[in-house]
Amino acid sequence: MQPSLVLPFQEYSIKDPVQQEVDEIYALLTYSLVYANWQSGDIPRTKRRGYNIGALLVDKNKQPVYYGLNCINSTDNATQHGEVRAITTYLEKTRIFNLDGFTMYTSLEPCIMCAGMMTMTDVDRVVYGQKDVDFSNGLERLALDTRAYGGYAPFKRTTWPDPAPSEIRTRLDEAYRNFLATETEKILAKFLASAEAEAIFKDAHDAFLKFQPKNSVNAVVYEGALQFFKDNKTAK
C-alpha cells in the first residue's frame, strides 16, 4: 500500500479571533493599496506598471513597514513581483539580515519564485487574498515530504501559507473560477485587469476605510494600517 501525501497546511490555521481580525485588516489594506494603483485592461502593455498584484510586509510587532506592487512591465524584468520588490527594498533600506517574525500579506497567492524568497528570508507566514491556479501551492510544495516515494525531505525552512479570512477572497476566487470557465484567453492578468475584479477590489477598499474592529486591542492596529494607507498610496 502506497503511503499518502499529506500537505501540512489547513484551510486557515489561526483560531485566535484577535489575530483573525488582524489578518482581515491587513488583507483589506493590501487590496486597497492595489486598488489605489489600479491599471485597467485598456492601458497598452508598454505603458503598464505590471499586473494588479501587491504585497505588504508586517513586522513582528504587527506594524506595516513596506509594500510592493508588481512592476514587470515598467522594469522589463520578469522577477519584479510585488513580494520580491517589498522584500529586497525593505532589507536594503533597513540593513536587517532577514524577516524572521514577519508576515507577508499578498493580494494573490505567491508564485514559486516569491515563495522561495520568503522561505529563504525566514518570513513566518503568508496570508494571500486570492488563490492562483496555474502557479499555486509553491509554499506547500517546499514543505512537502516525498521521501516515501524516493523523493526529497521538506525544505529546511517553512513559511506558513494561510488564505485571507475575508469575504473579498471568497468573491475573487469565485469570480476567477467563472472567468476560467467562460473566457477563451484564460490569463490571470486579464482577469485582474477586468471591470469585475476592479469592482471587487473597490469593495475591499471601501470596507477597509469603514472598518470597525470588534476587538478593542485591534483599534491601534487599524489606526496604524489606515495611516500607512494614507502615507503610501503611490506605486512602489
Side-chain angles (χ1 to χ4, degrees):
M1 181 178 178
Q2 290 287 339
S4 61
L5 286 172
V6 179
L7 291 174
F9 307 114
Q10 300 177 357
E11 180 64 16
Y12 181 71
S13 64
I14 303 300
K15 307 301 180 185
D16 176 18
V18 174
Q19 183 59 49
Q20 288 178 9
E21 189 170 65
V22 170
D23 287 345
E24 184 179 8
I25 290 169
Y26 284 132
L28 290 174
L29 171 56
T30 305
Y31 293 128
S32 298
L33 290 165
V34 175
Y35 179 71
N37 295 278
W38 193 264
Q39 296 187 321
S40 62
D42 57 2
I43 298 176
R45 181 175 180 179
T46 55
K47 295 184 179 181
R48 291 181 192 172
R49 179 195 67 253
Y51 301 160
N52 288 316
I53 304 170
L56 171 72
L57 268 176
V58 173
D59 69 15
K60 61 186 68 178
N61 297 315
K62 299 183 181 180
Q63 298 297 310
V65 294
Y66 206 77
Y67 84 101
L69 298 173
N70 184 292
C71 292
I72 62 170
N73 290 336
S74 61
T75 62
D76 198 25
N77 184 337
T79 70
Q80 295 302 290
H81 292 194
E83 298 94 325
V84 170
R85 291 176 68 83
I87 290 172
T88 56
T89 305
Y90 182 73
L91 291 177
E92 288 171 0
K93 286 181 61 176
T94 60
R95 308 302 295 177
I96 62 174
F97 182 71
N98 64 22
L99 299 170
D100 186 25
F102 283 59
T103 299
M104 177 77 83
Y105 293 84
T106 65
S107 62
L108 180 72
E109 182 185 15
C111 70
I112 191 65
M113 174 182 70
C114 296
M117 176 168 279
M118 286 185 282
T119 300
M120 288 301 295
T121 55
D122 275 335
V123 173
D124 278 15
R125 294 175 66 224
V126 174
V127 180
Y128 58 87
Q130 181 189 337
K131 185 72 176 175
D132 202 343
V133 175
D134 293 329
F135 299 96
S136 64
N137 299 114
L139 288 163
E140 288 88 339
R141 296 181 197 196
L142 288 172
L144 194 60
D145 188 346
T146 61
R147 286 174 291 182
Y149 294 87
Y152 301 95
F155 197 72
K156 187 175 181 179
R157 297 172 184 167
T158 300
T159 297
W160 192 276
D162 269 320
S166 169
E167 176 193 5
I168 299 297
R169 175 186 60 83
T170 304
R171 290 175 58 192
L172 282 170
D173 285 346
E174 182 179 358
Y176 187 44
R177 282 194 298 269
N178 292 337
F179 172 87
L180 292 174
T182 58
E183 286 288 330
T184 303
E185 288 186 300
K186 303 180 188 302
I187 301 172
L188 176 62
K190 183 177 180 180
F191 168 74
L192 288 174
S194 68
E196 182 176 14
E198 182 179 10
I200 298 174
F201 273 79
K202 181 183 185 303
D203 287 347
H205 166 266
D206 295 347
F208 173 69
L209 295 181
K210 296 185 295 184
F211 194 85
Q212 295 184 342
K214 297 177 182 177
N215 300 280
S216 59
V217 294
N218 284 334
V220 67
V221 173
Y222 175 63
E223 290 171 6
L226 188 60
Q227 189 61 52
F228 185 89
F229 179 68
K230 292 177 180 178
D231 294 341
N232 294 274
K233 290 189 289 185
T234 57
K236 289 188 178 181

